[in-house]
Amino acid sequence: MGRWICCLCSRVADPLMLLLVLALSCNPSTAATASPSVPHVKPSYSFGRTFLGLDKCNACIGTSICKKFFKEEIRFDTWLSSHLKLPPSSLLSYSGNYTDDAKSWRLVDITRLTSKYQHDRADKRICTSLLKTRTCSLERALRRTQRFQKWLRAKRLTPDLVQGLSSPMLRCPSQRLLDRIVRRYAEVPDAGSVYMDHLTDRDKLRLLYTLAVNSHPILLQIFPDVEGWPFPRYLGSCGRLVVSASTRPLRDFFGAAPEVAADLALQLLAVLRSMATNDLNYFFYFTHVDAGTFGVFSNGHLFIRDASTLGIIDKEEAGSQLIDGQQEYKDIFSCLTVDCQSAFVSCDSIGEKHSLVMACQELLPKLLAGKFLPHVQERIDTFLQRCARGLGDDRGANEAMAELAEILKPLRSCDSRFAYRYPDCRYSDKY
């Protein structure tokens, strides 16, 4: 093309025009720089390694979703403003937006396993207790510990390797549960094996650190929502931040309409029932519940929003679990987020009514108080008072939940506000 234009140039009479044509056409590099178009400058989002917690790796959760942050495919809500500022690092959780195609966005929760203050305090404790200094390389310090050295030599994750960790999930560990953790640990490529050969030293430290600080992301990984478990979807981690599907905390619904409150209470009972009785024979129980323990998706479906206080007893391998006396062993990993002197809850002390009684004490009264006609409200209040005192009779938790469910079922409605079951509820006796 350039050669043809240069030939055309020889026929141009005006010498100035000839020079102009030659300059723009016969020299490609000059033509490119002379282009009048100005490239669009994309705003830059600046992440500090400190904000994400990457400066603490490998004493962190993982790095599986870091690319999403740096490619701006995960954005905090504040990024939608013109200032494009990161939110304060002192917050425990953030609302964000996530995309796979840069066109459609969905809400996500971005959370820390514990507050930045507690993280900083734990980091200082590691340095002062292990290396006798105020600051240090956390990874180097933790690698020297007796526990991690045992992890490095281990081919399989066994109960003695997690002995004394503060996570409720690991207070009564079975080999079957620990094998499930290794097979489904999402921060590494899936090897489908119960052996830890596919975990690097870095992977082992991250897994141990996560279990020691807060087992919430591990529970989301090993009991995924796609298999019917009542947890939000785990999307990945970056440094000390975890990204999962977004839910609104149950506290936002304490003032909801009566039919919404009845629906959520019935869902809460169903979740408690499924966690106590399921096909895998794991008995899940809560060590603590509050208004943020449960959450509600935009379609009205209730899930466990915070799994950090969930304990697990393996019904199939109850005889192989550590007895309580063996759990007294404690080291630096036992006290990263809790007081080292705190006592463990005895596995034998957990009954089938345990979680239901906690819900009757802390959640259901706030959700159902003063919502219904007097004769119905009186029945609900009477049940909740009896339940909060431990039920006080020989009936099991299932019978008690069935009693409350029978009161609540006629109170819920079938309409588009309950998208998770609409329009199915119009054609099913289940609803």
Side-chain angles (χ1 to χ4, degrees):
M1 181 71 177
R3 186 175 301 172
W4 178 85
I5 294 177
C6 288
C7 294
L8 179 64
C9 291
S10 61
R11 300 183 183 181
V12 179
D14 189 338
L16 291 177
M17 183 63 72
L18 174 61
L19 290 173
L20 179 61
V21 173
L22 287 173
L24 294 179
S25 304
C26 298
N27 188 337
S29 61
T30 305
T33 57
S35 172
S37 62
V38 178
H40 175 67
V41 179
K42 192 175 184 180
S44 170
Y45 302 101
S46 175
F47 275 111
R49 289 170 58 82
T50 303
F51 181 86
L52 293 171
L54 282 172
D55 59 325
K56 307 295 186 179
C57 284
N58 292 303
C60 62
I61 312 164
T63 56
S64 61
I65 209 165
C66 287
K67 287 184 179 179
K68 285 280 187 182
F69 279 105
F70 291 116
K71 290 168 65 178
E72 302 165 24
E73 293 175 348
I74 295 177
R75 296 184 175 187
F76 294 89
D77 274 354
T78 52
W79 284 13
L80 302 180
S81 69
S82 59
H83 298 90
L84 303 174
K85 291 181 179 179
L86 288 174
S89 60
S90 58
L91 299 180
L92 189 60
S93 63
Y94 312 88
S95 179
N97 298 275
Y98 176 102
T99 185
D100 288 317
D101 56 14
K103 296 178 182 178
S104 57
W105 294 80
R106 50 188 165 129
L107 291 175
V108 292
D109 289 332
I110 305 169
T111 57
R112 301 183 188 276
L113 297 191
T114 186
S115 70
K116 190 175 185 302
Y117 168 78
Q118 288 177 301
H119 269 312
D120 293 342
R121 186 180 175 190
D123 294 344
K124 186 177 294 185
R125 184 184 296 127
I126 292 170
C127 294
T128 54
S129 60
L130 296 180
L131 297 182
K132 311 302 181 186
T133 60
R134 293 181 62 85
T135 59
C136 69
S137 166
L138 299 178
E139 180 174 358
R140 187 179 302 117
L142 294 177
R143 277 177 172 273
R144 294 182 180 182
T145 61
Q146 181 180 359
R147 187 191 293 267
F148 187 66
Q149 288 300 313
K150 289 177 66 176
W151 272 63
L152 289 179
R153 295 189 298 268
K155 291 290 186 182
R156 193 172 185 180
L157 186 59
T158 51
D160 62 295
L161 295 178
V162 298
Q163 179 183 349
L165 296 184
S166 63
S167 168
M169 182 182 76
L170 300 173
R171 288 179 185 171
C172 318
S174 69
Q175 188 60 57
R176 187 168 71 112
L177 176 63
L178 297 179
D179 287 344
R180 190 176 182 88
I181 291 175
V182 173
R183 284 199 318 269
R184 295 180 170 226
Y185 182 42
E187 289 298 310
V188 299
D190 181 18
S193 172
V194 299
Y195 297 102
M196 295 196 290
D197 297 335
H198 62 295
L199 300 184
T200 64
D201 294 356
R202 175 200 65 194
D203 299 329
K204 288 182 178 180
L205 181 56
R206 291 178 181 177
L207 176 57
L208 172 56
Y209 180 84
T210 307
L211 290 173
V213 174
N214 188 327
S215 58
H216 170 77
I218 303 298
L219 274 160
L220 269 56
Q221 294 168 43
I222 66 176
F223 298 108
D225 66 309
V226 293
E227 294 180 3
W229 297 97
F231 300 111
R233 180 165 300 181
Y234 176 81
L235 298 172
S237 300
C238 184
R240 290 181 169 178
L241 292 180
V242 178
V243 183
S244 59
S246 177
T247 58
R248 289 177 59 193
L250 187 60
R251 69 171 66 90
D252 290 357
F253 296 86
F254 285 165
E259 60 272 18
V260 174
D263 182 82
L264 292 175
L266 282 165
Q267 288 191 73
L268 178 55
L269 295 177
V271 168
L272 294 180
R273 191 180 302 113
S274 69
M275 301 307 280
T277 305
N278 51 75
D279 293 341
L280 292 186
N281 264 336
Y282 287 115
F283 176 74
F284 296 78
Y285 64 93
F286 286 98
T287 59
H288 171 78
V289 296
D290 58 36
T293 301
F294 294 89
V296 183
F297 283 125
S298 58
N299 64 358
H301 206 171
L302 181 135
F303 275 60
I304 297 174
R305 189 171 191 255
D306 179 4
S308 63
T309 62
L310 269 181
I312 303 177
I313 296 175
D314 190 338
K315 293 181 181 179
E316 287 190 9
E317 297 186 12
S320 66
Q321 294 174 314
L322 288 173
I323 62 175
D324 296 318
Q326 292 177 286
Q327 297 190 1
E328 294 304 318
Y329 170 82
K330 293 179 181 177
D331 63 357
I332 189 65
F333 287 100
S334 306
C335 24
L336 290 181
T337 56
V338 296
D339 182 359
C340 282
Q341 304 304 315
S342 59
F344 287 109
V345 176
S346 170
C347 300
D348 297 332
S349 67
I350 306 299
E352 64 169 5
K353 303 176 185 178
H354 183 86
S355 296
L356 174 62
V357 171
M358 295 182 88
C360 289
Q361 292 172 341
E362 301 294 333
L363 299 179
L364 291 173
K366 298 173 183 176
L367 183 63
L368 300 175
K371 293 284 175 67
F372 309 101
L373 294 175
H375 69 285
V376 176
Q377 191 69 54
E378 184 179 356
R379 291 180 63 194
I380 293 174
D381 293 344
T382 300
F383 173 87
L384 293 180
Q385 291 167 8
R386 191 172 78 250
C387 175
R389 292 192 295 265
L391 293 172
D393 51 34
D394 296 331
R395 291 181 308 165
N398 285 336
E399 291 83 355
M401 287 189 281
E403 177 185 345
L404 181 57
E406 285 305 310
I407 302 174
L408 294 173
K409 281 180 181 178
L411 304 177
R412 64 178 179 176
S413 63
C414 178
D415 58 62
S416 57
R417 287 177 298 171
F418 311 100
Y420 79 96
R421 59 181 174 88
Y422 181 85
D424 295 352
C425 53
R426 289 189 176 276
Y427 311 105
S428 174
D429 295 334
K430 177 183 176 182
Y431 299 107

